[in-house]
């Protein structure tokens, strides 16, 4: 009895299709890529019922010639590469020739296209991969491809699709990913006949960001600068958020390499590192980072969906991005405004968690786009970076905050503890760098430890010794003979255990631990909230803050100051 058979052609293509198209959003992705590759300047994506009912993409690209149109649906048919060597100089998003045949195998397609050098167009109807109809049509140059009843012949796949709003959310994400990095293309997304995204297509990335993520976030962005030591093989552009905007996840990091949206841990880590102590520990900024790099430096082919990518010189790339981000932040004015739009919650122009069901909601989406805010409004603050606080007058309020004035006549409110922490932290870094000196205690100290504390210390003995604590197991406790010099005279005996616990809880690398050590020491050495300050002390605080390298946040990432702008004050008093 035979039990091994060669699969039928159609079965094979259905299986293969599953790797390229697993949900409506991946169809949208492939079609948008084809439109971009065709040199389009206007791409319209229309979907129905989260993409289940129909997906239609219309572009004004070069079109497909009469002779090529049927070939495009054959497996591994591509106009983009001819031989393997072409991969190293690839200029297009597609090259596998997989998308169209895969989509065709699992849907009903109507394609209409006219090539730029032909006077008429071709319309093709395909069902489950088989051409059912072909005719000449009159139409403008470009391509319209309509995918109906996706997965109609793969019922199991339909079952794995999520709700309409989830599928739409994925489609929106795909459209945003391309709209931001191809700002010269006007993208439109329409769902169930309601417009959802519409970019202006000016070629300016900030415009595209405003159109997709909204002006709320765009106002909080700073344009990336090239680092002081550029690398010959790479350039970097994009926007990163001021530290006042941060999130608990990496979801708001948009990384592109050679205009391809990618997931790259190296780049993500580098962005985070670039913020140094400006952000709290587990917080990530909003960032759109576009890296252009010699194609020979990367490997794009490691994932069929071309999402993950590796660098041959990952370390160089890492340091390059860290440099760019930190240079940018150093030169920026980072004082948060008191009156601020709420950017901590997602303020996308496209906020789809509630679909635009009512007419009213739709209108508001539309009006947002009609505002047509352009990048001009958010022009980079050139020559920023210097902290322009006037030496006088200064006032202390609530025994915790120093009120000052900026050279631009804004009112600046400084958190005295956070500011002192920043100053002391930088002093320690400058003095010790990576070095940890210890100081013997006059009398060895034996703290009372809870079982948990005892366990933590015994697990981390070597770490603690490395950080400057001379500890030794004695009976069922620990005796401490020396502590890091930065704490000497700064903390009470009974605080030593707390400090050790903070250090062992930092699971990062040694340099991260040193940061914790110094920031804890800086905290201990700093004036507290609730303490009165003399005028002289306030002056010194402000003067020293002005010379700090990163004056805007404390070493834990909290702001040291906030600003109430003169304009805002005037508005409130109805003078404007
Ligand atoms: P790939 O993009 O990897 O080449 P596809 O299956 O996505 O493979 O497309 C096959 C070919 O069809 C492309 O190489 C291109 O020549 C042509 N094509 C597809 N979509 C379009 C379009 N929107 N405009 C012009 N040509 C297109
Ligand atoms: Mg393609």
């Amino acid at each position: 009895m035979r039990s091994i058979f060669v699969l039928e052609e159609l079965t094979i293509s259905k299986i293969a299709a599953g790797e390229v198209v697993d949900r409506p959003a991946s169809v949208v992705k492939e079609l948008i890529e084809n439109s971009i590759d065709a040199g389009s300047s206007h791409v319209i994506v229309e979907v129905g019922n989260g993409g289940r009912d129909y997906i239609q993409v219309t572009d004004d690209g070069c079109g497909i010639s009469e002779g090529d149109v049927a070939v495009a649906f054959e497996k591994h048919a591509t106009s983009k590469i001819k031989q393997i060597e072409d991969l190293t100089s690839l200029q297009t998003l597609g090259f596998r020739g997989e998308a169209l045949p895969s989509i065709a195998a699992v849907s009903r397609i109507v394609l209409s296209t006219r090539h730029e050098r032909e006077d008429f167009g071709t319309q093709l109807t395909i069902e489950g991969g088989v051409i059912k109809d072909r005719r000449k049509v009159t139409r403008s140059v470009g391509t319209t491809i309509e995918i109906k009843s996706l997965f109609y012949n793969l019922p199991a796949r339909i079952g794995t699709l999520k709700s309409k709003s989830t599928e739409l959310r994925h489609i929106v994400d795909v459209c945003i990913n391309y709209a931001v990095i191809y700002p010269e293309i006007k993208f439109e997304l329409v769902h169930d006949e309601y417009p959802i995204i519409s970019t202006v297509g000016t070629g300016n990335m900030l415009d595209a960001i405003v159109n997709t993520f909204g002006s709320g976030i765009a106002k909080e962005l700073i344009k990336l600068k090239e680092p002081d030591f550029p690398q010959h093989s790479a350039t970097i552009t994009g926007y990163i958020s001021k530290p006042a905007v941060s999130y608990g996840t990496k979801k708001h990091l948009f990384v592109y390499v050679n205009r391809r949206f990618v997931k790259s841990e190296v780049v993500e880590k580098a962005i985070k590192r670039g913020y140094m102590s400006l952000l709290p520990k587990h917080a990530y900024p909003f960032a759109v980072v576009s890296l252009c790099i010699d194609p020979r430096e990367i490997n794009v082919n490691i994932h069929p969906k071309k999402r993950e990518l590796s660098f041959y010189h990952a370390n160089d790339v890492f340091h390059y991005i860290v440099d760019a981000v930190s240079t940018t932040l150093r030169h920026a004015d980072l004082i948060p405004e008191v009156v601020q739009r709420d950017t901590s919650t997602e303020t996308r122009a496209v906020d789809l968690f509630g679909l635009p069901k009512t007419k009213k909601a739709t209108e508001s989406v539309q009006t947002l786009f009609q505002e047509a805010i352009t990048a001009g409004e958010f022009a980079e603050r050139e020559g920023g970076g210097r902290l322009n606080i006037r030496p006088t007058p200064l006032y202390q309020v609530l025994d915790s905050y120093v009120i000052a004035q900026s050279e631009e006549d804004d009112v600046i409110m400084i958190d005295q503890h956070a500011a002192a922490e920043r100053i002391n932290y930088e002093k320690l870094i400058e003095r010790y760098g990576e070095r940890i000196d210890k100081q013997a205690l006059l009398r060895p100290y034996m703290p009372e430890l809870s079982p948990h504390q005892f366990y933590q210390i015994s697990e981390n003995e070597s770490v603690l010794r490395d950080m400057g604590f001379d500890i030794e197991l004695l009976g069922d406790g620990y005796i401490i003979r020396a502590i890091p010099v930065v704490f000497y005279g700064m903390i009470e005996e009974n605080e030593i255990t707390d400090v050790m616990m903070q250090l062992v809880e930092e699971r990062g690398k040694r340099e991260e631990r040193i940061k914790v050590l110094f920031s804890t020491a800086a905290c201990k050495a700093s004036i507290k909230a609730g303490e009165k300050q003399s005028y002289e002390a306030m002056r010194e605080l402000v003067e020293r803050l002005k010379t700090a390298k990163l004056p805007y946040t404390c070493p834990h990432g909290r702001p040291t100051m906030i600003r109430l702008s003169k304009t805002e004050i005037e508005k409130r008093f109805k003078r404007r």
Side-chain angles (χ1 to χ4, degrees):
M1 194 183 81
R2 276 187 67 190
S3 55
I4 302 180
F5 299 92
V6 174
L7 289 174
E8 268 181 55
E9 194 59 25
L10 197 58
T11 314
I12 297 174
S13 30
K14 279 199 217 165
I15 295 171
E19 286 166 22
V20 183
V21 290
D22 51 1
R23 63 182 346 153
S26 45
V27 173
V28 172
K29 169 184 182 286
E30 293 296 338
L31 298 183
I32 289 182
E33 289 199 348
N34 282 347
S35 295
I36 294 173
D37 286 347
S40 310
S41 54
H42 191 175
V43 178
I44 306 167
V45 180
E46 290 161 275
V47 294
N49 186 19
R52 285 169 194 233
D53 292 355
Y54 65 91
I55 298 168
Q56 178 172 311
V57 175
T58 307
D59 69 45
D60 60 354
C62 64
I64 310 175
S65 71
E66 194 198 5
D68 276 341
V69 73
V71 184
F73 286 90
E74 281 175 29
K75 253 169 285 154
H76 309 300
T78 177
S79 57
K80 299 167 193 175
I81 58 168
K82 291 217 165 63
Q83 54 208 18
I84 191 75
E85 288 74 28
D86 296 344
L87 270 183
T88 46
S89 54
L90 195 68
Q91 297 288 336
T92 55
L93 294 163
F95 60 86
R96 292 162 175 268
E98 270 176 355
L100 291 187
S102 303
I103 298 167
V106 295
S107 65
R108 301 189 174 97
I109 294 185
V110 179
L111 170 96
S112 121
T113 181
R114 183 181 134 200
H115 192 261
E116 55 194 354
R117 283 195 300 277
E118 293 177 344
D119 307 325
F120 57 90
T122 317
Q123 180 178 304
L124 218 56
T125 309
I126 301 172
E127 220 163 276
V130 184
I131 298 180
K132 295 282 175 175
D133 182 56
R134 175 182 182 132
R135 60 182 70 180
K136 271 192 183 181
V137 289
T138 45
R139 56 155 294 150
S140 52
V141 171
T143 305
T144 304
I145 177 160
E146 190 187 0
I147 317 291
K148 283 184 293 197
S149 34
L150 183 66
F151 302 136
Y152 78 98
N153 51 1
L154 283 181
R157 177 71 74 182
I158 294 184
T160 64
L161 294 182
K162 300 280 188 304
S163 69
K164 161 168 149 177
S165 60
T166 305
E167 294 303 332
L168 177 57
R169 177 90 242 158
H170 286 282
I171 293 172
V172 169
D173 285 346
V174 166
C175 292
I176 289 179
N177 287 347
Y178 290 97
V180 165
I181 197 70
Y182 285 93
E184 72 276 27
I185 301 178
K186 177 169 176 53
F187 280 95
E188 290 182 73
L189 170 64
V190 179
H191 179 256
D192 287 342
E193 298 186 6
Y194 288 122
I196 292 187
I197 299 178
S198 172
T199 63
V200 283
T202 53
N204 184 326
M205 184 191 272
L206 195 52
D207 284 340
I209 293 177
V210 170
N211 297 150
T212 49
F213 295 105
S215 53
I217 185 79
K219 283 203 172 108
E220 301 299 323
L221 299 182
I222 328 166
K223 191 173 184 175
L224 263 180
K225 282 185 185 302
E226 276 284 327
D228 294 338
F229 302 100
Q231 283 210 339
H232 45 275
S233 75
T235 56
I236 189 169
T237 50
Y239 289 86
I240 58 174
S241 60
K242 296 177 187 169
V245 181
S246 68
Y247 308 89
T249 73
K250 299 180 192 167
K251 266 204 322 224
H252 304 85
L253 302 179
F254 299 85
V255 177
Y256 299 89
V257 174
N258 296 346
R259 294 186 112 188
R260 206 183 270 281
F261 180 72
V262 297
K263 283 274 158 240
S264 163
E265 213 173 302
V266 173
V267 180
E268 288 176 356
K269 279 203 174 131
I271 296 171
K272 168 77 179 156
R273 177 69 65 83
Y275 277 77
M276 294 162 287
S277 53
L278 287 174
L279 282 181
K281 209 169 143 211
H282 297 292
Y284 290 88
F286 173 98
V288 177
V289 170
S290 166
L291 200 65
C292 281
I293 188 165
D294 185 336
R296 281 167 303 193
E297 288 286 314
I298 54 176
N299 184 1
V300 284
N301 207 5
I302 56 179
H303 193 279
K305 287 207 186 135
K306 294 164 279 184
R307 274 293 208 73
E308 315 254 325
L309 141 153
S310 61
F311 297 98
Y312 290 118
H313 297 97
N315 216 21
D316 294 350
V317 173
F318 178 83
H319 288 292
Y320 175 63
I321 298 169
V322 174
D323 270 4
V325 171
S326 59
T327 305
T328 304
L329 291 166
R330 260 202 315 278
H331 288 93
D333 173 355
L334 301 177
I335 313 176
E337 296 257 353
V338 175
V339 182
Q340 205 181 22
R341 272 196 227 191
D342 185 11
T343 42
S344 58
T345 55
E346 220 158 342
T347 50
R348 289 187 165 191
V350 199
D351 217 337
L352 283 169
F353 292 108
L355 287 172
K357 284 188 197 100
T358 63
K359 195 150 184 305
K360 202 153 173 281
T362 321
E363 273 167 6
S364 72
V365 172
Q366 276 169 324
T367 33
L368 242 172
F369 297 131
Q370 279 158 6
E371 264 179 58
I373 310 156
T374 56
E377 284 185 48
F378 313 109
E380 194 189 357
R381 271 186 251 245
E382 268 304 335
R386 261 195 50 237
L387 193 54
N388 291 320
I389 297 181
R390 292 196 182 164
T392 54
L394 301 167
Y395 307 93
Q396 190 194 30
V397 291
L398 305 174
D399 290 346
S400 304
Y401 307 99
V402 177
I403 309 287
Q405 258 181 68
S406 74
E407 295 291 352
E408 295 81 27
D409 282 343
D410 294 337
V411 174
I412 310 284
M413 192 185 290
I414 300 168
D415 179 320
Q416 64 187 35
H417 176 67
E421 268 189 326
R422 163 56 62 190
I423 294 162
N424 288 324
Y425 177 74
E426 290 193 4
K427 254 204 305 205
L428 290 175
I429 297 270
E430 195 171 310
R431 175 146 175 214
Y432 295 104
E434 302 259 290
R435 201 180 74 231
I436 295 169
D437 293 349
K438 337 183 245 201
Q439 171 73 50
L441 296 174
L442 289 177
R443 271 185 304 125
Y445 170 62
M446 203 159 167
E448 254 181 57
L449 299 173
S450 71
H452 174 71
Q453 290 170 330
F454 179 83
Y455 171 79
Q456 288 280 40
I457 294 177
S458 61
E459 283 289 292
N460 293 287
E461 273 187 20
S462 60
V463 168
L464 288 168
R465 291 204 183 101
D466 178 47
M467 291 288 116
F469 292 88
D470 264 357
I471 53 171
E472 196 185 310
L473 188 63
L474 200 76
D476 52 5
Y478 276 91
I479 185 150
I480 301 167
R481 299 185 198 282
I483 62 171
V485 71
V486 290
F487 288 112
Y488 195 75
M490 293 290 169
I491 54 176
E492 304 288 328
E493 274 186 345
N494 57 19
E495 289 178 288
I496 297 180
T497 317
D498 283 347
V499 173
M500 291 198 297
M501 286 303 122
Q502 282 182 33
L503 281 172
V504 299
E505 270 154 27
E506 167 56 58
R507 307 225 162 272
K509 296 208 180 79
R510 183 168 190 268
E511 51 186 274
E512 299 295 323
R513 280 217 173 79
I514 294 179
K515 263 194 210 161
V516 175
L517 187 81
F518 286 175
S519 54
T520 314
C523 174
K524 300 287 178 201
S526 298
I527 179 167
K528 300 282 175 294
E531 286 178 22
K532 285 219 183 316
Q533 284 210 75
S534 68
Y535 183 74
E536 278 317 307
M538 286 192 275
R539 268 202 69 168
E540 195 184 331
L541 185 81
V542 170
E543 287 311 312
R544 282 165 56 184
L545 192 61
K546 278 162 81 171
T547 59
K549 287 205 182 80
L550 296 169
Y552 305 104
T553 59
C554 81
H556 308 98
R558 289 187 292 271
T560 54
M561 58 190 118
I562 52 181
R563 177 216 323 263
L564 183 57
S565 71
K566 186 181 177 194
T567 330
E568 186 60 39
I569 296 172
E570 287 173 348
K571 260 197 231 154
R572 295 294 169 112
F573 285 112
K574 306 286 180 221
R575 286 173 174 273
R576 276 185 179 243

